[in-house]
Amino acid sequence: MTSADLLVERGAQRLHRLAGRAAARGDGVGTWLAEELEADAAFLRRLKPSLIAGRMRAAKNGGDPAEPPPPAPPPANPNPEPPPAPSAAARKPKSSNGPSPWLFVGAALVAGVVAAKVLDWRGHAHPRD
């Protein structure tokens, strides 16, 4: 498996886990959502780059493109536990990655007002009669 295949498989496994959580809700919306997510996970597994390349090679050689093998079921985990929430002490404070965007908005506003005043002032210096 290539790294792209592993990435697609990891996405399909996440969809499968989400489907399990939705099914655990037990209400009508949860079961409907679980079915849809399972279908999406199966579809995503069919989109692996290596499988697509194999189907393209088979079609190019004049052969009938074979259906990909059925996906292997992911390992069953009946009670998936969500990851523990980070504590307040473990959270990093939001770091500033530069000046605030509001600084640029204010500077643009000031520059616009100054430009308007200068243009208005120069317009009075040379009036058209």
Side-chain angles (χ1 to χ4, degrees), residues 100-117:
S100 170
W102 291 107
L103 177 69
F104 291 107
V105 170
L109 178 68
V110 169
V113 169
V114 168
K117 294 286 185 182

Side-chain angles (χ1 to χ4, degrees), residues 57-127:
R57 276 191 295 271
K60 182 180 175 184
N61 294 335
D64 203 17
E67 266 309 296
N77 188 358
N79 296 326
E81 294 184 24
S87 65
R91 290 186 193 137
K92 293 181 184 177
K94 185 177 177 183
S95 63
S96 176
N97 292 336
S100 170
W102 291 107
L103 177 69
F104 291 107
V105 170
L109 178 68
V110 169
V113 169
V114 168
K117 294 286 185 182
V118 167
L119 290 175
D120 186 46
W121 171 68
R122 291 303 300 158
H124 290 293
H126 305 285

